[in-house]
Amino acid sequence: MKGAPKPLVRRIGVTNSSDSFIDEVTEEVRQDKLYGYLRRYGWIGILAVLLLVGGAAYNEWNRAREAAAAQALGDAFYAALEAEGPLEQADQLAALPTDGAASAPAAMLEAAALAEAGETERAAEIWAALAADPGHPRVWRDLAALKRVLLLGRTLPADERLAVLAPLATPGAPYRVLAREQEALAHLDAGDQEAAVAIFEALMVDQEATQGLRLRAAQLMVALGATSNGT
């Protein structure tokens, strides 16, 4: 009877060995499955890494290209403005390869150079085209329309000037007070002194008007013989 426990020890040893063997087999199966997944789907991870690295490299290249293009355009602007004479400046500005946000300031500068050179009609045409182009921000379109009115002055009929100035003089417009001043002058040319004086009187107390504009309004009211109440 004393030797009876020995078979139990042997059975325990066999059980432990079997468990270890099963664990090893299970681990091998897991590794085989893992390697199988890697062989089957590993290319997805490699592709993702390549796309990530390639995208970062492309972004860096694109930023460098845009910076170089902006630098070249800035240099071209500077060279055009340094040209001898306004006509030469206008020609060089017209030849600039501008697009997008740079096209509006290039057109403004070209028209200003033409106006300085006495090419009034050409300058007015450029400003008119810019003012009518909805692809540009309002600040540029309104400025172009106002510059055209200032350039042509009384060569434009008063009613045409008032039609152009009306949207420029609305509340919130970027050049509202300047447009209002031009409206008053157009009303004077149309013979409507009462409307002109009312605008000048409003400009004298307009918080957005500069001191110079308020002074001009006051001087014109004096010249018209009008009092502060518009009489």
Side-chain angles (χ1 to χ4, degrees), residues 120 148-149 151-158 160-161:
T120 303
R148 176 175 174 268
V149 169
L151 177 66
L152 297 179
R154 289 178 173 174
T155 62
L156 283 178
E160 184 177 343
R161 275 185 282 161

Side-chain angles (χ1 to χ4, degrees), residues 18 26 100 149 207 213 220:
S18 298
T26 302
V149 169
Q207 295 301 312
L213 196 155
L220 285 167

Side-chain angles (χ1 to χ4, degrees), residues 81-98:
L81 294 175
E82 288 295 305
E84 293 185 6
L87 282 178
E88 181 65 23
Q89 291 178 9
D91 290 340
Q92 291 194 28
L93 287 165
L96 290 179
T98 55

Side-chain angles (χ1 to χ4, degrees), residues 34-110:
L34 177 61
Y35 294 147
Y37 287 141
L38 289 176
R39 285 192 296 270
R40 181 177 299 179
Y41 302 111
W43 65 271
I44 297 177
I46 295 173
L47 179 60
V49 172
L50 290 175
L51 289 175
L52 182 62
V53 174
Y58 173 78
N59 288 335
E60 288 297 326
W61 172 82
N62 195 46
R63 280 196 291 267
R65 182 179 62 85
E66 290 178 350
Q71 180 65 44
L73 182 58
D75 292 342
F77 264 107
Y78 180 78
L81 294 175
E82 288 295 305
E84 293 185 6
L87 282 178
E88 181 65 23
Q89 291 178 9
D91 290 340
Q92 291 194 28
L93 287 165
L96 290 179
T98 55
D99 56 9
S103 59
M108 289 295 300
L109 291 172
E110 180 188 355

